[in-house]
Amino acid sequence: MQSLLLPLLLVLVLAVPLVMSTRKQKKQQAVQQELQSSLAPGDRVMTTSGLYGTVADASGDNTIDIEIAPGVVTTWLRLAVREKVEPVVETEEDAADEVEIPAEEPAVIESSSSVKTDEPQTTAQVAPPLEHGKK
């Protein structure tokens, strides 16, 4: 009995995570298929490459037309749609919160060239180049 317990525990330790990960992947695939089959014109979506757009035509089996800018419609594979996103709706409160604050004018520091100091002004002097190899 003892000799069978170790292999049985080893199989359980390896099999349980494998089964759990397979179930998780199947759930994710089902959610993705449901999303892709439920796409309709007017839905706001994000593609796998991060492009946001609005579904213009979803009548194709494998492809979907997405409007990425007014008047610019591109054709994508349905599989390229990652998720639906909620359209941004600006309310009156949001518009009131965005009050423009005038930019501060930068402080101007005026320098006076008539400032005199007691120290003499010096200029840098360059030393003559060293001659190598001459004896």
Side-chain angles (χ1 to χ4, degrees), residues 8-128:
L8 182 62
L9 284 175
L10 185 62
V11 168
L12 284 176
V13 166
L14 295 175
V16 170
L18 183 63
V19 170
M20 296 300 283
S21 67
T22 307
R23 289 183 64 211
K24 183 178 179 181
Q25 285 178 350
K26 284 183 181 180
K27 285 181 183 179
Q28 287 176 343
Q29 286 177 347
V31 168
Q32 190 68 20
Q33 286 178 345
E34 173 64 28
L35 166 75
Q36 291 170 358
S37 64
S38 70
L39 292 174
D43 288 341
R44 182 124 171 96
V45 295
M46 182 178 73
T47 64
T48 54
S49 61
L51 182 79
Y52 288 91
T54 304
V55 176
D57 181 29
S59 61
D61 290 337
N62 295 327
T63 60
I64 189 167
D65 290 340
I66 299 176
E67 184 176 20
I68 57 175
V72 180
V73 178
T74 57
T75 303
W76 293 76
L77 288 173
R78 280 187 181 264
L79 297 174
V81 176
R82 176 182 288 159
E83 62 184 89
K84 284 185 185 179
V85 292
E86 297 297 321
V88 178
V89 178
E90 188 171 315
T91 62
E92 291 179 21
E93 293 175 3
D94 292 339
D97 290 343
E98 296 177 5
V99 176
E100 288 188 31
I101 300 172
E104 294 181 15
E105 293 183 20
V108 177
I109 300 175
E110 294 183 19
S111 62
S112 173
S113 61
S114 62
V115 176
K116 296 189 178 186
T117 60
D118 292 339
E119 297 177 17
Q121 302 244 346
T122 59
T123 58
Q125 294 181 354
V126 180

